[in-house]
Amino acid sequence: MIEVLLVRTSLSRLASAIEARPAPTSGNGTGATRAGSVSRPAAATLLAIAVAAVGLGPAASPAAAATIPAGAGSYTDSRPAGTQGPTTNTGAPVTPKVTAAARSKPVPTNDWWSSLAYQRYGDNPYSTPMYGHPLTYQAKANGLEVGYPTTPAIVGDGRQYEYAHKADLTVGLSGLNSPDTKADAWSDWTVTPYWADGSRTFRATIGHGMPFVYAKGSGGDARIQTASTPTVFSDQGNVLGITVAGHHYALFAPSGSDWNISGSTITAGLGSKDYFSLAVLPSTDALATYRKYAFSFVTGSQVSWQSTGGNVRATYSLTTEAKEGTERGTLQALYRHQWLHTSDALTPYTYVSPRGTMKVRESATFTTSQKNNGVVPALPASSGVDKARLTGYLNEVANASDPFSGATDTYWTGKALGRLAQLVPVADQIGQTAIRDKLLGLMKGRLQEWFTAGGASEFSYDKDWKTLTGYPASYGSDTELNDHHFHYSYYVYAAAIIAQYDQAWVADSAWGTMIKHLIRDTANPSRTDTAYPFLRGFDIYAGHSWASGHQGFAAGNNQESSSESINLSAALVLFGSAIGDNTLRELGSYLLTTESEAITQYWFDASQQVFPASFGHDTVGMVWGSGGAYATWWTANPEEIHGINVLPVTGGSLHLAREKAAIKRNIAEMERNNGGPAQEWRDLLWEFESLSDPAVAKSKWDAVNGNYTPEQGESKAHTYHWIGTLAAVGAPDMSVSGDLPTSAVFSKNGTRTYTAHNHGSSTRTVTFSDGKTLSVPARSTATSTGPGGGNPDPGDPDPGNPSTGNTFRLKTGGTLTTGTSDAPGADTVASADGVNRDGTPYRPNVYEIKKVNGKVAAGAATGFRLRVDAGTKVGLAPQVRVSYDLTGDGTFDRTETFRYFATDPVNGWEEYTQAAGVKATTGSLGELRNGTVRLEIWNALGNGTSQVQTTTDAAVLRIPYQ
């Protein structure tokens, strides 16, 4: 993935495209772009940028290198002559910008806050904007800018949405004027920047999901500088409530202190204390709750995980210190990918973020639980593959004059290794052991070249940044520490396939130690390893990886190819399984399952609850800290924008099948924007479509009949096997999981196909969540069939849900349910923020049910009965919209917006029903076949929150169906 940019301005200012950089020339002499497509002229559009001609200045002369043995392999402790390590944008060498207390700790580059430690720009010794969510931050000489962006901007010709950082206030000390800001301490998702100017010192602990900023300082009064004159809504001496730019904040000074306001400057003496805090409030009436935790300072964060019985559980914990009193609890805001999978109690409070609504938990811990997304070395044997034809395709690769297509750098070598690795178990499956062994030999030979210092390709360890870089490097993997998890994922995956057939080769005394160095560099499971940081690229709380080593952008960090990040996680599952290392296997399962949900929500917007309504795309090619972009780094071609989050297609790609309707929308948008079906990356996109609709994908393959040029990481052999197999056994059935991570289930026409690979030395019985068991011999793959499932085509009714009914209750957590046994509750409806929102949902509460079946009832109409309460607030007006997606394809065919209900300013529930009348409708009703029904409720008027009952007989939606 290309990350080498010298860009500091907002992405909205990036306008013109530059010719894409060339990739290695393929065997037929065709020049290829970033991942192997034929280059086409790039449109003058956002982010179509390459940097082949950037001059980085002369390389610093390396010290005499020492060779470090690593089993049978080796690496060096100094860069090869003429190469570079981490630099500024002008090519000057750079070392970590950390305090003396942190100097011995491995720095976690590729994080949401890395610009604090990696000074990419010589004239900015502080930081670029950092997106913690719900708050945003930027370090300055006088302290920490804090913002809470709540209104998205659509920029770059409509290709990007962003909630850009804009300071509401700056927190620091009176007189603070530090020459720089350094990283002083960090944990799994928090960081503490440090300022010092000779007279004053200042620290501020910040983090993902944290509505608080915890400040400590000496040498001056606490000082808050607001962007405009604040409005005070509460003054309780040491507790001050203010509103700035429409956002509500609470300021907390030590007991006995008092906040003083002078225009836009707010100060408080700290006396003998050295602490104070502030919080962004979801509403002014939340002040009392937030005050309770104002002096329970967060001191660290940590995740733990376990994968058992087909499920992955993860617990996220904050450690705290009571600065006053005894309270040790706290408040934390959960991202969508987290609250969808927790049963822990949540408060009614919510925040806006680029990742959709964040929901607040009143506790220092929460736990998520998800089905384990299985990984298999290859799809199962099936009747859908002609062995003779497949053998011909396999020989094309194995007997090629250059199976590595001219690759010399870490990325393109990795791509070539990945292409060969996918074919090894396929050749083995059809009894072509000679081809299998030839492919294994090719991979071993190339890996051994890279794993031996002193040749044309080698790995070098940087003791300052505590990272292992392969040379020749590419796409800033050396000068910016970009993309290590992308590049090395292919090496680890190849080693996992080798280990499946040759345990001796991956022994620590042989080549296994070098593989483990790559794993430690990219996905180190240890927090005590002094050589590499813990999980370098993976942002634990955000749920996905970041690609830029320095995070030096106005939009924060970014990741384009989420699928190459998944490739590393899948490789860990397979490699850990192959060598009997359960720690690595469980790490891979946690990373894959977590990032899979993040991709589903934040790249593909599968639930259509994340992207702003004004953003006219169903997917993004890149996620940024500030939002997302329908773009890639090197081209505006829709095929690459949609395909970059698919490649490489492997047995670790099955997780994508969880949201088949999203795949259908994705392919449809690509074809609309492309002016027709895919051409350049057609094989990747066929394989992607086959996860949702194997028959359609097979028809596209058949129409071409092998007459095409594969994407550079693909082969006709793999694509033919993939598409033919899924056409025979059906798409992955993600409703069923096995208790072995290397297992999967497929379904077609009421028959499920179960498969699992047992890397162990004794027979293993795999138990699936539907009760099916499968006996798998040692070091073998087994496959069996049984009744269950259905046709996974999202256009067909689900036979498991033939009758849904027509009456649903609103349930806390965003669902509509037919159940009646849940405890009554109430959800908070966000404020309209003083703007007329009549007819247009604004921060709505969304309640939804999928796989609904029914026929339109003649003469019936949508009805609802909701109890709402605005308390004593004046001028509020809840409003409802009901939407019908008739086929579950993600497009709402009918919407009905009802007139708002004007509440009274008296405590007590009031009833809002369809009798208010219909304000507007779009589309028409029709038969629901695996459809989706959604109810949205928001405040159309006013400047305060209201409440709506849930799971009561007055929290009901009735649809006109039978």
Side-chain angles (χ1 to χ4, degrees):
M1 161 138 139
I2 301 175
E3 296 290 347
V4 188
L5 285 187
L6 307 181
V7 179
R8 302 176 59 186
T9 58
S10 169
L11 291 175
S12 63
R13 298 186 180 93
L14 297 179
S16 61
I18 304 174
E19 180 182 358
R21 79 169 79 203
T25 301
S26 60
N28 63 8
T30 302
T33 57
R34 152 71 168 72
S37 68
V38 179
S39 179
R40 64 166 62 173
T45 186
L46 176 74
L47 290 177
I49 294 176
V51 289
V54 171
L56 294 176
S61 300
T67 298
I68 313 299
S74 56
Y75 60 93
T76 64
D77 66 355
S78 205
R79 300 190 316 273
T83 63
Q84 289 182 303
T87 66
T88 66
N89 65 313
T90 59
V94 64
T95 56
K97 183 166 62 76
V98 298
T99 63
R103 199 161 291 150
S104 63
K105 295 178 60 178
V107 175
T109 57
N110 307 77
D111 215 330
W112 67 273
W113 56 265
S114 294
S115 62
L116 280 171
Y118 190 137
Q119 185 177 341
R120 178 65 176 161
Y121 308 105
D123 61 349
N124 181 2
Y126 304 103
S127 82
T128 52
M130 302 173 289
Y131 293 81
H133 307 145
L135 291 172
T136 62
Y137 316 94
Q138 185 168 9
K140 298 287 187 176
N142 61 338
L144 182 70
E145 286 186 352
V146 178
Y148 174 42
T150 53
T151 303
I154 308 301
V155 297
D157 235 4
R159 288 175 168 263
Q160 178 192 348
Y161 77 89
E162 63 176 8
Y163 293 77
H165 168 70
K166 182 179 181 181
D168 287 338
L169 51 84
T170 302
V171 55
L173 301 176
S174 295
L176 180 65
N177 186 23
S178 179
D180 59 24
T181 308
K182 298 175 179 177
D184 183 54
W186 52 83
S187 60
D188 286 7
W189 62 88
T190 66
V191 64
T192 302
Y194 173 83
W195 294 255
D197 64 6
S199 301
R200 288 157 286 270
T201 63
F202 181 65
R203 292 173 172 86
T205 297
I206 55 178
H208 274 315
M210 286 170 45
F212 284 92
V213 175
Y214 304 97
K216 294 182 67 177
S218 64
D221 293 342
R223 182 178 186 270
I224 309 293
Q225 185 72 45
T226 57
S228 58
T229 302
T231 300
V232 176
F233 64 83
S234 178
D235 187 348
Q236 304 170 44
N238 69 319
V239 177
L240 187 68
I242 61 172
T243 300
V244 182
H247 304 139
H248 311 302
Y249 290 89
L251 314 180
F252 304 100
S255 296
S257 298
D258 191 16
W259 290 102
N260 299 294
I261 304 174
S262 176
S264 59
T265 302
I266 307 172
T267 58
L270 299 178
S272 61
K273 310 294 176 51
D274 65 351
Y275 57 84
F276 62 102
S277 68
L278 65 85
V280 62
L281 303 179
S283 59
T284 55
D285 55 11
L287 177 58
T289 301
Y290 279 64
R291 179 176 185 172
K292 179 180 177 182
Y293 302 106
F295 299 112
S296 178
F297 273 40
V298 168
T299 57
S301 57
Q302 185 166 309
V303 68
S304 61
W305 61 82
Q306 60 178 1
S307 175
T308 56
N311 287 292
V312 176
R313 288 176 57 85
T315 298
Y316 300 81
S317 302
L318 296 172
T319 54
T320 60
E321 174 188 6
K323 291 294 186 181
E324 292 186 8
T326 59
E327 180 60 61
R328 297 286 301 275
T330 192
L331 295 157
Q332 50 187 326
L334 279 63
Y335 282 115
R336 180 176 178 83
H337 76 275
Q338 295 167 324
W339 58 255
L340 280 172
H341 297 285
T342 187
S343 58
D344 293 336
L346 303 176
T347 73
Y349 301 127
T350 62
Y351 290 104
V352 176
S353 86
R355 311 293 178 251
T357 299
M358 301 183 79
K359 298 188 176 185
V360 176
R361 175 158 167 77
E362 193 172 2
S363 175
T365 67
F366 66 90
T367 297
T368 61
S369 180
Q370 294 176 253
K371 286 183 179 178
N372 196 345
N373 292 303
V375 178
V376 291
L379 297 184
S382 77
S383 61
V385 174
D386 180 86
K387 292 183 180 179
R389 186 176 186 183
L390 179 56
T391 299
Y393 287 144
L394 287 167
N395 275 319
E396 286 181 8
V397 177
N399 298 328
S401 58
D402 179 9
F404 293 91
S405 304
T408 58
D409 62 53
T410 49
Y411 181 72
W412 290 99
T413 297
K415 290 270 289 185
L417 287 168
R419 183 165 60 98
L420 300 179
Q422 295 310 309
L423 300 183
V424 171
V426 169
D428 188 53
Q429 188 179 94
I430 63 171
Q432 292 292 343
T433 55
I435 297 176
R436 176 200 69 191
D437 292 344
K438 185 172 185 178
L439 295 171
L440 286 168
L442 289 169
M443 292 194 298
K444 290 177 183 178
R446 186 55 59 96
L447 285 171
Q448 287 169 200
E449 290 177 15
W450 276 90
F451 291 166
T452 303
S457 51
E458 67 178 18
F459 284 92
S460 173
Y461 181 75
D462 187 314
K463 62 180 175 50
D464 292 321
W465 289 98
K466 301 190 186 302
T467 188
L468 194 69
T469 302
Y471 292 91
S474 50
Y475 308 128
S477 60
D478 51 352
T479 57
E480 300 181 61
L481 300 184
N482 295 337
D483 298 358
H484 283 203
H485 62 311
F486 294 159
H487 297 206
Y488 302 170
S489 72
Y490 293 102
Y491 292 69
V492 179
Y493 205 114
I497 296 299
I498 293 171
Q500 186 174 323
Y501 298 93
D502 187 349
Q503 290 277 304
W505 192 89
V506 295
D508 287 349
S509 58
W511 304 98
T513 297
M514 282 300 297
I515 291 293
K516 290 177 180 177
H517 271 288
L518 298 189
I519 293 171
R520 289 165 65 196
D521 182 71
T522 54
N524 191 1
S526 172
R527 294 182 179 84
T528 59
D529 190 337
T530 59
Y532 299 98
F534 174 66
L535 296 181
R536 179 189 303 279
F538 191 76
D539 187 325
I540 292 156
Y541 204 86
H544 59 81
S545 297
W546 296 113
S548 169
H550 52 73
Q551 184 258 312
F553 304 95
N557 214 322
N558 72 90
Q559 179 165 260
E560 183 183 56
S561 185
S562 62
S563 46
E564 287 180 306
S565 181
I566 287 286
N567 195 47
L568 177 59
S569 304
L572 292 173
V573 172
L574 294 177
F575 187 71
S577 298
I579 67 172
D581 188 329
N582 289 341
T583 297
L584 287 182
R585 187 187 73 178
E586 290 199 11
L587 170 63
S589 291
Y590 164 69
L591 296 178
L592 192 153
T593 302
T594 304
E595 188 153 23
S596 172
E597 187 61 59
I599 293 167
T600 295
Q601 299 299 329
Y602 311 142
W603 273 260
F604 297 155
D605 195 18
S607 302
Q608 297 185 294
Q609 294 295 305
V610 173
F611 297 169
S614 52
F615 181 63
H617 297 282
D618 289 317
T619 189
V620 294
M622 308 174 70
V623 161
W624 286 86
S626 65
Y630 185 79
T632 73
W633 280 110
W634 81 103
T635 181
N637 181 9
E639 294 184 34
E640 277 92 334
I641 292 171
H642 288 257
I644 193 60
N645 286 291
V646 175
L647 66 81
V649 176
T650 76
S653 303
L654 303 181
H655 74 100
L656 293 170
R658 284 191 301 110
E659 296 287 350
K660 295 178 173 61
I663 295 176
K664 185 175 181 180
R665 290 197 307 272
N666 195 305
I667 294 293
E669 181 181 12
M670 182 279 296
E671 292 186 347
R672 286 195 308 272
N673 295 341
N674 201 50
Q679 298 297 315
E680 297 178 18
W681 280 9
R682 64 182 79 183
D683 44 1
L684 288 171
L685 293 164
W686 292 336
E687 291 171 304
F688 183 40
E689 189 167 18
S690 69
L691 295 172
S692 173
D693 196 332
V696 170
K698 178 69 160 51
S699 69
K700 292 178 178 179
W701 163 272
D702 289 341
V704 174
N705 196 32
N707 296 314
Y708 70 96
T709 300
E711 184 271 332
Q712 195 153 343
E714 260 298 339
S715 64
K716 292 179 183 178
H718 181 254
T719 302
Y720 172 64
H721 181 267
W722 183 275
I723 291 175
T725 300
L726 291 181
V729 303
D733 186 342
M734 306 307 289
S735 68
V736 182
S737 60
D739 64 359
L740 185 69
T742 50
S743 63
V745 183
F746 309 84
S747 64
K748 180 179 181 181
N749 298 332
T751 297
R752 283 185 173 136
T753 298
Y754 304 81
T755 188
H757 185 85
N758 176 13
H759 289 87
S761 57
S762 60
T763 298
R764 164 73 188 264
T765 298
V766 179
T767 301
F768 292 87
S769 58
D770 64 353
K772 174 74 174 181
T773 59
L774 179 64
S775 179
V776 190
R779 305 196 188 286
S780 301
T781 297
T783 302
S784 179
T785 60
N791 189 337
D793 182 348
D796 291 341
D798 184 346
N801 295 277
S803 177
T804 318
N806 65 359
T807 303
F808 309 98
R809 290 188 177 194
L810 281 63
K811 182 179 178 180
T812 296
T815 61
L816 294 170
T817 178
T818 57
T820 58
S821 59
D822 294 293
D827 287 347
T828 296
V829 182
S831 170
D833 291 335
V835 177
N836 188 328
R837 315 285 183 179
D838 184 14
T840 303
Y842 176 70
R843 298 166 60 188
N845 289 16
V846 179
Y847 304 89
E848 187 173 271
I849 184 168
K850 296 184 177 182
K851 295 189 175 181
V852 181
N853 300 302
K855 295 184 178 180
V856 177
T862 302
F864 59 88
R865 180 188 179 203
L866 304 178
R867 285 198 183 127
V868 294
D869 180 26
T872 59
K873 304 179 189 75
V874 176
L876 271 58
Q879 189 166 26
V880 160
R881 181 169 73 181
V882 179
S883 304
Y884 299 88
D885 171 0
L886 300 180
T887 61
D889 66 356
T891 300
F892 284 96
D893 306 281
R894 168 75 170 180
T895 66
E896 301 175 6
T897 303
F898 292 82
R899 299 186 188 280
Y900 62 70
F901 175 77
T903 56
D904 64 33
V906 179
N907 284 317
W909 296 106
E910 302 175 80
E911 284 207 355
Y912 175 25
T913 73
Q914 76 282 352
V918 175
K919 175 181 174 65
T921 63
T922 64
S924 302
L925 290 173
E927 183 178 352
L928 279 164
R929 304 172 75 237
N930 260 6
T932 299
V933 178
R934 175 185 294 174
L935 182 147
E936 299 164 277
I937 181 170
W938 69 98
N939 278 312
L941 302 173
N943 200 8
T945 60
S946 59
Q947 288 195 308
V948 60
Q949 284 189 4
T950 57
T951 53
T952 72
D953 59 2
V956 173
L957 169 67
R958 293 188 309 279
I959 61 175
Y961 284 83
Q962 58 186 14

